[in-house]
Amino acid sequence: MSGELVDVHAHVLPDWYVDAAKAAGHTTPDAMPGWPTWSVQEHLAMMDQVGIDRSVLSISSPGVHFGDDTAAGSLAVEVNDFMRGLHREHPGRFEYFAALPLPDVGRAINEARRTRDLPGRSGVGIESNAHGVYLGDPALEPLWHELAAQRAVVFVHPTAPPGFDPTLTGYPAPLLEYLFDTTRTIVHLAAAGVLRRHPEIRFIVPHCGAVLPMVLSRVDLFRLAGLVPSDVDGDLGWEQLWFDLAGAPVPDQLGAFSRRFGTGHLLYGSDFCFTPAFAVDLLAKQLDDGWPDERGPWRVQVAENSAALFGRNT
């Protein structure tokens, strides 16, 4: 496993999931123009083109909860069994983060337990907020207890914040709101003490940490002023946080990130199929040219990092 390029930010999008999302009103996901297409064959072809050995699949925003707890629980089971089937058919290429139907904590715990030992599960996937419930919310504490007992990896994917109105700016949520909602929920997670209470959980933060590196000094200032808990340091307990390279991190984000954290917790992420194959290839080439040379080429480093992260689960 240590030499493999692992894509931790890769999405499945079966037609029946899109149909369910559209039926619930998500005709343009987070104000994007429309849903992309996806197939197993297209995904494998992209992986071969870019040199990705293995993809850890997940569902993107808006997740599996469209407003009805029972329906969300059923859709989570359907999504997870579908991804498990892909692992069964392509065991060397596909694993998955099991979708959890938050904000229904009870059903989320049940699905985390049901999938815990299923073949191909590398952890669980959740959104940055679930209908306004952010990751530091006390209501989620029973879930964190369960995931700590599992020593789980938790992949956090951004979604639109509550009250998002694209008509105010004309921009879809992924342009800016995804980055800020990711940052908001990770700061909330740390400030609420979740990282301190549950050191067994490892969280994957998408998009090269979003804007975390740019606001950490501000978090520390507010901590010194007594407005953030005193045991939340300026790096938020970052040893439990891992960060994927989805998006366009070169040169600005990656430069700021590596100056603060180094590259030892960076993982590869393509964001396929919401990022089309040609753009995935282009972004990989940008990493080739713009990687901060700390321990050698980026492919070698992120392969070592993913082996370190998932080592306890394999």
Side-chain angles (χ1 to χ4, degrees), residues 225-247:
L227 299 174
V228 172
S230 60
D231 57 353
V232 177
D233 65 30
D235 285 338
L236 305 181
W238 81 277
E239 65 277 358
Q240 289 169 252
L241 303 178
W242 299 71
F243 305 86
D244 75 46
L245 288 162

Side-chain angles (χ1 to χ4, degrees), residues 169-194:
T169 64
Y171 302 136
L175 175 62
L176 297 174
E177 299 301 332
Y178 272 18
L179 299 179
F180 291 111
D181 210 62
T182 295
T183 303
R184 181 180 298 114
T185 206
I186 298 302
V187 172
H188 193 228
L189 181 82
V194 175

Side-chain angles (χ1 to χ4, degrees), residues 7 24-25 43 76 145 191 214 304:
D7 183 356
H43 205 133
H145 277 287
M214 281 67 76
E304 292 174 352

Side-chain angles (χ1 to χ4, degrees), residues 200-272:
E200 305 87 354
I201 305 175
R202 289 139 295 149
F203 292 86
I204 298 176
V205 183
H207 302 124
C208 203
V211 294
L212 276 172
M214 281 67 76
V215 302
L216 287 180
S217 59
R218 188 171 181 84
V219 172
D220 205 35
L221 176 64
F222 275 63
R223 177 183 65 83
L224 294 173
L227 299 174
V228 172
S230 60
D231 57 353
V232 177
D233 65 30
D235 285 338
L236 305 181
W238 81 277
E239 65 277 358
Q240 289 169 252
L241 303 178
W242 299 71
F243 305 86
D244 75 46
L245 288 162
V250 176
D252 299 315
Q253 272 186 291
L254 185 54
F257 180 93
S258 63
R259 284 192 296 273
R260 185 72 187 233
F261 293 115
T263 58
H265 277 210
L266 282 171
L267 308 165
Y268 176 67
S270 71
D271 208 0
F272 187 81

Side-chain angles (χ1 to χ4, degrees), residues 111-192:
E111 189 61 7
R113 289 173 176 168
R114 185 186 77 88
T115 60
R116 175 175 183 170
D117 298 317
L118 293 181
R121 200 198 89 162
S122 292
V124 301
I126 59 178
E127 307 300 308
S128 54
N129 79 84
H131 298 275
V133 177
Y134 282 89
L135 298 187
D137 195 299
L140 300 183
E141 189 63 17
L143 176 62
W144 301 137
H145 277 287
E146 174 62 30
L147 295 178
Q150 296 186 15
R151 302 184 69 86
V153 174
V154 178
F155 172 65
V156 179
H157 192 279
T159 190
F164 169 66
D165 183 356
T167 64
L168 297 179
T169 64
Y171 302 136
L175 175 62
L176 297 174
E177 299 301 332
Y178 272 18
L179 299 179
F180 291 111
D181 210 62
T182 295
T183 303
R184 181 180 298 114
T185 206
I186 298 302
V187 172
H188 193 228
L189 181 82

Side-chain angles (χ1 to χ4, degrees), residues 12-31:
V12 295
L13 202 60
D15 291 341
W16 47 264
Y17 170 83
V18 175
D19 290 342
K22 287 181 176 178
H26 297 280
T27 55
T28 56
D30 291 337

